[in-house]
Amino acid sequence: MWRSSASFILDKHLNNKPISITHSIDSPPPPSDSMADENPNPNPISAYYETRAAHHGIVTSEWLEQAQAAVRRYPDHDCSVSPVSGRPFSVIEEFNSWRQQPDLAEAVAAIRAFAAVIRASEATTMMELEIELKKASDTLKAWDTTSISLTAGCDLFMRYVTRTSALEFEDFNSAKSRVLGRAEKFGVISCKARRIIAILSQDFMFDGCTILVHGFSRVVFEILKTSAQNKKLFRVLCTEGRPDKTGVLLAKELAKLDIPVKLLIDSAVAYSMDEVDMVFVGADGVVESGGIINMMGTYQIALVAHSMNKPVYVAAESYKFARLYPLDQKDLEPALRPNDFNVPVPPKVEVERSARDYTPPQYLTLLFTDLGVLTPSVVSDELIQLYL
């Protein structure tokens, strides 16, 4: 079953409002299906990155009690209102309408779209409803095959809402209501994940520390924001984050919170690592080995930090846990994005456009998730629990 730590921390506080994360990136209009079909480019830009550019093992009971007490100071997430459309129902349109909310992750947008599928379904049996959900899941996964969190979110949703044998002994309307309730609960749990991670990470943030971050991870930003609200004194080193300058955008948001921040060019990581007390990165996906797939440059930062005995912490929601086991960088499905060098590139020169890399687990210290604070070696056990 789905692990209960998330709901244990937050379910008693459903009337609170969330900390809103102000993101200065404007989301571009989502690509239409027709455009995707007509695109002759054999190496299209990843829709996931196009959107992003636009927009030790178990937690102790004492920690959970602290988190439960701390969450009273923070508002909760209201994820109950769905965009209204008068057009015929389309899971892609529903997904894109949710995806346009800058504070909503792709996997959570997919979960909201699945709940809408259940509401709009005209199925008369549970088998028909499951087939509809499976088709909707396959449609979303095919919409962008490079998004690991989207694929993992879809797979986890299908396991979570349909795995009970009690559905076989109920009349259809009751079973459908139960599935819808599970879908909505799954969405609420997923919406709370970012705040849970921020709260559980606070024991690792100490006054006077210097933190190196890479790219604009909304989870990492929430951790830093929560630490600032808790009056902790720290400073942040942001890598530039080429080619989309996500580090510059994060630095702007941190400056608004009066958090001391310093920008680094990406190649200055080793030069600046002596100043660093810890590295915090997000993840596009957490794989079975306990490694992560994340923005290009994460691997080399982890290598430098590991060689200089600096801890590398990963903040990732559990819906990013994917059933993948890459052995090297070439095992990843290409996720491409344009690179602008600000100078003309000769036509015969090949340009590396991969948007992400794989960081093996031996270079990571801890993973902060809504399931708890985990070592990389525990990830496979958590995946087994999630998919049972």
Side-chain angles (χ1 to χ4, degrees):
M1 64 170 29
W2 179 269
R3 297 295 297 274
S4 61
S5 57
S7 54
F8 176 83
I9 295 173
L10 296 176
D11 278 354
K12 294 183 180 179
H13 309 284
L14 295 177
N15 296 324
N16 297 335
K17 300 281 182 199
I19 303 169
S20 64
I21 299 180
T22 56
H23 205 308
S24 59
I25 309 175
D26 295 326
S27 298
S32 66
D33 293 340
S34 60
M35 290 175 62
D37 294 338
E38 295 171 3
N39 186 2
N41 185 358
N43 296 312
I45 300 302
S46 164
Y48 173 77
Y49 286 97
E50 196 170 27
T51 302
R52 269 184 51 138
H55 265 281
H56 189 179
I58 305 299
V59 176
T60 65
S61 58
E62 181 182 355
W63 273 23
L64 288 174
E65 288 171 5
Q66 291 174 357
Q68 188 177 18
V71 78
R72 295 189 181 97
R73 301 196 300 271
Y74 302 101
D76 195 12
H77 216 307
D78 181 10
C79 298
S80 59
V81 182
S82 173
V84 178
S85 173
R87 291 174 293 182
F89 180 81
S90 164
V91 68
I92 295 293
E93 290 182 2
E94 183 74 15
F95 168 67
N96 280 328
S97 65
W98 282 107
R99 196 170 61 96
Q100 290 172 6
Q101 298 185 20
D103 198 28
L104 209 62
E106 270 200 337
V108 181
I111 294 163
R112 292 302 176 191
F114 287 137
V117 169
I118 298 172
R119 294 190 193 95
S121 174
E122 297 180 358
T124 57
T125 65
M126 281 306 302
M127 181 61 72
E128 291 177 359
L129 181 59
E130 286 192 30
I131 291 173
E132 284 189 26
L133 288 171
K134 181 64 166 60
K135 287 181 178 179
S137 174
D138 292 342
T139 299
L140 286 181
K141 289 193 289 187
W143 181 83
D144 184 6
T145 58
T146 67
S147 178
I148 298 172
S149 63
L150 178 58
T151 299
C154 290
D155 291 342
L156 279 172
F157 173 87
M158 293 300 298
R159 293 294 301 152
Y160 183 73
V161 300
T162 61
R163 73 174 93 191
T164 177
S165 60
L167 297 175
E168 301 173 6
F169 303 101
E170 298 178 348
D171 64 86
F172 174 70
N173 290 331
S174 298
K176 182 178 179 180
S177 297
R178 182 188 288 262
V179 171
L180 180 58
R182 279 176 159 243
E184 292 175 342
K185 182 178 180 181
F186 187 85
V188 169
I189 290 172
S190 300
C191 284
K192 294 172 179 177
R194 201 175 296 157
R195 287 181 43 232
I196 296 168
I197 295 169
I199 292 168
L200 294 178
S201 67
Q202 294 308 295
D203 284 352
F204 291 81
M205 305 285 289
F206 56 89
D207 283 340
C209 67
T210 297
I211 305 164
L212 175 67
V213 298
H214 181 57
F216 198 131
S217 165
R218 287 174 291 190
V219 192
V220 173
F221 178 70
E222 185 76 8
I223 291 171
L224 299 175
K225 184 176 182 178
T226 302
S227 298
Q229 291 172 337
N230 287 340
K231 308 301 181 183
K232 295 196 175 185
L233 303 176
F234 60 95
R235 71 179 185 128
V236 180
L237 305 184
C238 291
T239 58
E240 180 186 11
R242 287 183 61 87
D244 48 13
K245 304 296 183 76
T246 50
V248 178
L249 296 173
L250 177 59
K252 289 180 180 179
E253 296 299 326
L254 294 175
K256 293 177 184 178
L257 299 173
D258 296 323
I259 296 174
V261 59
K262 178 181 180 180
L263 268 174
L264 308 175
I265 58 174
D266 291 336
S267 54
V269 168
Y271 174 82
S272 303
M273 191 61 73
D274 277 339
E275 305 175 40
V276 174
D277 294 299
M278 66 188 76
V279 176
F280 254 110
V281 295
D284 293 344
V286 180
V287 299
E288 292 186 61
S289 63
I292 62 168
I293 298 170
N294 194 42
M295 177 181 175
M296 182 64 73
T298 304
Y299 182 27
Q300 62 193 27
I301 291 174
L303 282 170
V304 172
H306 181 76
S307 69
M308 300 178 72
N309 296 316
K310 309 290 185 178
V312 179
Y313 300 138
V314 179
E317 303 93 326
S318 58
Y319 54 73
K320 293 180 178 177
F321 282 32
R323 301 176 76 178
L324 300 171
Y325 206 109
L327 299 177
D328 56 33
Q329 307 298 327
K330 305 306 179 184
D331 281 348
L332 304 181
E333 181 172 352
L336 308 178
R337 62 183 176 189
N339 284 342
D340 183 8
F341 293 98
N342 297 319
V343 294
V345 178
K348 294 183 179 180
V349 174
E350 184 180 358
V351 175
E352 178 59 65
R353 297 194 297 144
S354 299
R356 61 195 183 192
D357 57 25
Y358 165 62
T359 305
Q362 61 265 33
Y363 303 115
L364 307 176
T365 307
L366 290 172
L367 291 89
F368 294 86
T369 78
D370 48 299
L371 303 179
V373 183
L374 312 173
T375 58
S377 61
V378 177
V379 169
S380 59
D381 294 335
E382 294 298 330
L383 270 165
I384 292 171
Q385 293 295 324
L386 289 174
Y387 283 96
L388 274 180

